[in-house]
Amino acid sequence: MTKAELVEKLSKDAGISKTQTETTIKSFAEAVVKAAKKDDKLTIVGFGTFSLAKRKARKGRNPKTGEEIKIKASKTVSLPPARI
């Protein structure tokens, strides 16, 4: 599902304009990023918990050349699925 399809569905289901739906989705995404930056968790019962995941530095391979490369440590947002 693309963002446009999500906006269309949510807009129709909630009976609100696409502009309002896009604003809501943008606000939600910003809240997730803000919580992750503060190393907080954002839990939505029945959906999952957004949290900060830290990836260690590691070695990898360039897929074109096969040359070994160093991959820097990084941070990302994790969303393990909720149990159903």
Side-chain angles (χ1 to χ4, degrees):
M1 178 179 278
T2 65
K3 181 181 174 185
E5 291 169 337
L6 178 64
V7 168
E8 178 74 31
K9 172 142 180 46
L10 293 177
S11 173
K12 188 176 180 181
D13 290 351
I16 58 175
S17 73
K18 289 182 183 178
T19 304
Q20 290 172 314
T21 305
E22 286 180 10
T23 302
T24 302
I25 292 171
K26 182 179 177 183
S27 177
F28 174 75
E30 289 171 357
V32 170
V33 170
K34 188 175 180 180
K37 283 184 178 180
K38 292 196 292 187
D39 206 12
D40 287 342
K41 291 182 180 181
L42 175 64
T43 302
I44 301 174
V45 177
F47 184 74
T49 300
F50 293 90
S51 62
L52 182 65
K54 298 175 184 175
R55 295 181 180 161
K56 295 181 181 180
R58 61 195 188 281
K59 293 180 183 178
R61 293 218 176 263
N62 180 327
K64 273 190 175 179
T65 65
E67 176 186 357
E68 190 172 275
I69 58 173
K70 293 180 182 178
I71 302 171
K72 295 180 181 180
S74 64
K75 297 177 183 177
T76 187
V77 175
S78 171
L79 176 63
R83 293 181 185 175
I84 298 175

